[in-house]
Amino acid sequence: VGTPCFTPNQKNELEKLGEVFYIDRTSIPEAEYINLVKDADILIAAPEGIPELSEKIISSLPRLKFISLLTVGFNWVDIEVAKKLNIPISNAKGANSESVAEHIWGMILDLSKRISEFDRDIRNNGSFEFSKYKGHEVYGKTLGLIGIGDIGLKVARIARGFNIRVFGINKSGKSVEGVELVDMNTLLAQSDIVNISIPLDDTTRNLISKTQINIMKDGALLINCAREEIVDKSAVIEAIKTKKLSGYGVDTNILVPLSKNDEYLQYSNILVNVHNAFNTVESDEKCYGLAVENIKKFIEDNPQNLI
């Protein structure tokens, strides 16, 4: 088990299922991690504990029968080797979606009204000239959602309070109430705000690059609380520099510090968090609770949330 944030009740439920070994550490080296969990039949894992659940780790655990992830995303796990070894994996699907959706809206409102930008300049430079920090209302604007799964749906629900028109791209093609399904070019060209809520894989890496940004409205906002690599960094920095985009909100990779000289930090209209959109008390409780439920279902031979 990774960082033990289980509630007392969750711990009690977990310990009814068998002997539990807790590991309260982050960024454990691969060889040490293998030694720590070598006797595990079931592994509860998160990238805070091990940055990559690699082929070497999975294939070095002879008793391993099931993996329960504390995350929704699974690009840090070698899924193919788990499949070859017939080790099912469940994720925490939907457990942190409310927290992430609220964070996305926090970024949208912050960038639209230039709240953090003005705050930083007040603190650092004694700025008080409000005329330099003129923002935009979001009311009545158009929001484009690249991905309308658990998170995208909640972002759309919040948008209704602002009387916003919502465009969406849905991989399944299924209609979604309150969302107009369109193609990518239409979404980019007509949206005042574009939000990305899709997984990272070979098809989505650099999905938004110079070509796509050029299609976007001048002065649009771009929000990426999915995975950093879905947006080409050099292209978005250039768009901020030239004022093609009025702001960018990004959740960067977990536990990877940014240098003080990182380009993101050179622009006051870029909001950057190091993988923090999910990080709430409520999200933790739901994620850890779902990890326990996933294990119960596996033991009952009725696995859920399989990836």
Side-chain angles (χ1 to χ4, degrees):
V1 181
T3 308
C5 293
F6 296 98
T7 65
N9 183 56
Q10 288 168 353
K11 278 189 174 185
N12 185 48
E13 290 297 306
L14 190 60
E15 288 162 10
K16 285 178 184 175
L17 303 175
E19 184 182 358
V20 183
F21 178 50
Y22 297 98
I23 305 167
D24 187 10
R25 290 177 54 194
T26 59
S27 302
I28 304 169
E30 187 176 67
E32 187 178 353
Y33 189 85
I34 291 169
N35 188 54
L36 286 169
V37 302
K38 64 182 185 298
D39 295 324
D41 296 292
I42 294 173
L43 181 64
I44 300 176
E48 295 96 322
I50 183 71
E52 183 185 1
L53 207 51
S54 63
E55 176 179 4
K56 184 175 180 182
I57 291 172
I58 296 170
S59 59
S60 297
L61 306 179
R63 296 177 54 170
L64 190 62
K65 299 176 183 65
F66 178 62
I67 299 171
S68 184
L69 302 181
L70 288 165
T71 59
V72 179
F74 47 84
N75 62 300
W76 58 284
V77 181
D78 193 323
I79 302 296
E80 292 308 311
V81 74
K83 284 179 181 175
K84 283 178 191 172
L85 295 172
N86 200 29
I87 300 168
I89 302 175
S90 291
N91 70 348
K93 181 175 171 57
N96 64 21
S97 56
E98 195 69 60
S99 292
V100 176
E102 289 183 5
H103 195 94
I104 287 164
W105 269 103
M107 283 190 158
I108 291 170
L109 293 170
D110 190 315
L111 289 166
S112 295
K113 299 301 300 296
R114 304 178 69 179
I115 296 168
S116 290
E117 186 179 352
F118 198 4
D119 177 87
R120 282 192 296 264
D121 283 353
I122 290 167
R123 292 170 189 268
N124 297 331
N125 307 316
S127 180
F128 61 91
E129 297 177 61
F130 64 85
S131 60
K132 293 181 179 178
Y133 301 91
K134 195 176 292 295
H136 289 277
E137 294 180 356
V138 298
Y139 188 87
K141 297 297 196 300
T142 299
L143 168 66
L145 300 176
I146 301 175
I148 41 179
D150 290 321
I151 294 168
L153 285 173
K154 290 178 172 66
V155 173
R157 186 203 70 218
I158 296 168
R160 291 182 202 128
F162 294 100
N163 194 32
I164 279 177
R165 185 180 189 184
V166 181
F167 289 146
I169 295 172
N170 192 3
K171 192 176 179 182
S172 70
K174 288 182 182 177
S175 61
V176 176
E177 186 180 355
V179 178
E180 300 174 50
L181 298 185
V182 294
D183 60 48
M184 177 71 89
N185 283 359
T186 301
L187 184 148
L188 294 171
Q190 296 189 30
S191 296
D192 302 289
I193 305 155
V194 173
N195 175 69
I196 300 164
S197 294
I198 54 175
L200 174 66
D201 59 29
D202 290 340
T203 67
T204 61
R205 190 178 302 276
N206 290 331
L207 179 71
I208 303 300
S209 193
K210 186 174 181 179
T211 300
Q212 290 73 35
I213 290 172
N214 284 342
I215 296 169
M216 293 174 69
K217 282 186 176 182
D218 291 344
L221 291 180
L222 179 61
I223 309 294
N224 177 18
C225 289
R227 288 292 184 269
E228 182 183 0
E229 296 87 352
I230 294 171
V231 175
D232 181 276
K233 184 171 181 177
S234 60
V236 79
I237 293 286
E238 183 62 25
I240 289 291
K241 221 185 267 188
T242 61
K243 300 185 179 176
K244 170 67 178 176
L245 295 179
S246 65
Y248 180 49
V250 59
D251 226 32
T252 57
N253 289 322
I254 191 164
L255 293 175
V256 179
L258 292 182
S259 158
K260 288 183 179 179
N261 299 317
D262 191 286
E263 275 201 279
Y264 286 142
L265 306 183
Q266 312 309 310
Y267 300 92
S268 58
N269 54 340
I270 294 179
L271 278 181
V272 57
N273 282 185
V274 179
H275 200 81
N276 200 52
F278 75 98
N279 191 19
T280 63
V281 171
E282 293 83 359
S283 171
D284 270 359
E285 188 167 341
K286 291 178 207 169
C287 284
Y288 282 80
L290 188 53
V292 176
E293 289 303 312
N294 286 342
I295 292 169
K296 284 182 183 177
K297 290 291 186 182
F298 170 74
I299 291 171
E300 293 166 4
D301 202 26
N302 185 27
Q304 64 179 16
N305 298 315
L306 291 173
I307 56 176

